[in-house]
Amino acid sequence: MVKKKQDVIIVGAGAAGLMLAARLAEGGQSVTILEAGAERQLGDLVSSQIWARKLKWAEPAVSESGDHKIGHAFNAGSGTGGSAIHHYGVWLRMHEGDFSLHKDHGVGLNWPLGYADLTPHYDRVQAEVGLSGDAEQERWRPPGAPYPMPPLPLFAQARVLAKGFENTARHTSPLPLAINSEPYQGRKSCQYDGWCDAGCPTGALGNPLVTWLPRALAAGVHIEHNARVSRVIRSAANPSHIESVEYLQRGIRKTLSAARIIIAAFTVQSVRILLSSATAQHGAPGNHSDKLGRYLMTHPAATVFGLFEEETYPHQGVSAGQLLSHDEYDDKAAAGGFGSSQWMIGHAIKPHDLLGYGTGRPDISGPELEPWLKRAARHLGNMTLVCEDIALPENRITLSDKVDSDGIPYAHTHHDLAPNAAARWTQRMAEGEEIMRAAGAQEVWSGPRIGMHIMGGAVMGDDPAQSVTDRNGRVHETDNLYVAGPALFPSSGAVNPTFTLSALASHQAEHLLATP
């Protein structure tokens, strides 16, 4: 049974929410999670693209505008584990310069924390989740403990593509991944069949179903599924205190109270909940200076493809890739644009999976298509560019004019890519095609620019006039309302955000357990 009033209510059973739940419950606190999606267990997962698409976000719909849309349906998830169920397991630390963007370059925002504040949490989390990599070869990596497992093996595609980096005087290292290269803490090692975005039913990929969920349940955390939160409700006697959470479950409107409330519903839905909590008497929590929803970010990304004489067997490996290159990462202000960038190299790829090559060449059709596909199945190489986004106040999450059948407003997002960030993406994509040719590719082409990952909207900061939360994720002008997850990020860097949002949640858990 759920207690009438818990110590903590967490909205969202994703990577941040489940970690916080596990840590707080292990620290003796009573915790209930309200998850909008369905209950999901590891045994429910199936290595199939039809299944993988079921893990993506569907409803409630999020409308989008701007010249570089965030791709909410692609990036978000629903149900136990959230978007981390279909993530590829790329776990990279943000670099030290990612935390002081405005201080160093006069653009974007600064974090109220530095890399040193998160270093012990990066180290702790990587041991708990299990990361495979080679810290010594990863020459660009910030200081920290070595990875607990050796890197995953390299397959033919990675060895072919590595030559392109060598021939252009660039460096590569094994890509650090939350995927087991050997058995780890009772979980099997990877079988390298490239179905990572289908959730990894073997448990080799460290998604929340095999990391935080078992610990949370063992510590007594209660999870209410199909519980869609509509808003938080202030105390009438003390408006700085959030009294309860309102949610809809099986058509019934319910409320639940707790001493602390943590919104960890991924970027867009976390902001939607807060914006929907405004009343005639009080503005939305966190919107005291009109910053709630602003500074929305998504990484501009794209894939470069090549066909080789050598056999690459591109179906082998993992979806994330096999190699990493950060050679230009720290030189954010280099000529040609602005921002960091990275290459993830040698993705396991099939003709018709999520990022498959079967539909990537519309110029090839009719009788020419079948022989081309047969050749690509054995000779294709691919690598993905990820570039930094710049936090701009006009990029934001707002409430839509449209409401659902329960009268809850949908979310709308607007995102334009800053011209200097777009220039960096164009520059690096041209370089990527050069690298592919230097590796020996006979044909080279690129996919479209997409938005990869979603961050910002409830940014943290020391100045309440310029941010939504403080350095611990507590919403300014409230005494018990917190935000967790990538909505807090004041800058994006150019690395996949799951490791950092996990380290940040670990930092929050430590603070909450130490604060009465």
Side-chain angles (χ1 to χ4, degrees), residues 398-419:
T398 56
L399 295 179
S400 170
D401 294 334
K402 297 180 179 179
V403 299
D404 66 15
S405 58
D406 296 304
I408 300 173
Y410 291 120
H412 176 78
T413 64
H414 180 87
H415 185 273
D416 294 321
L417 191 59

Side-chain angles (χ1 to χ4, degrees), residues 315-328:
H315 62 283
Q316 296 176 341
V318 297
S319 301
Q322 302 170 56
L323 293 171
L324 173 73
S325 183
H326 274 199
D327 274 359
E328 293 90 3

Side-chain angles (χ1 to χ4, degrees), residues 113-132:
L113 305 170
Y115 177 76
D117 296 303
L118 292 185
T119 301
H121 299 284
Y122 279 124
D123 291 348
R124 177 178 177 179
V125 170
Q126 76 175 20
E128 292 176 309
V129 171
L131 264 64
S132 300

Side-chain angles (χ1 to χ4, degrees), residues 319-343:
S319 301
Q322 302 170 56
L323 293 171
L324 173 73
S325 183
H326 274 199
D327 274 359
E328 293 90 3
Y329 191 99
D330 290 322
D331 195 1
K332 293 179 184 288
F338 183 84
S340 297
S341 61
Q342 67 169 356
W343 287 102

Side-chain angles (χ1 to χ4, degrees), residues 433-444:
E433 294 190 3
E434 293 174 5
I435 293 168
M436 191 67 73
R437 291 188 180 92
Q442 298 166 320
E443 297 179 35
V444 177

Side-chain angles (χ1 to χ4, degrees), residues 494-507:
V495 297
N496 308 52
T498 309
F499 197 4
T500 297
L501 72 87
S502 299
L504 192 57
S506 174
H507 178 273

Side-chain angles (χ1 to χ4, degrees), residues 35-47:
E35 166 54 45
E39 182 176 5
R40 184 181 296 122
Q41 300 176 359
L42 193 67
D44 298 328
L45 305 179
V46 180
S47 294

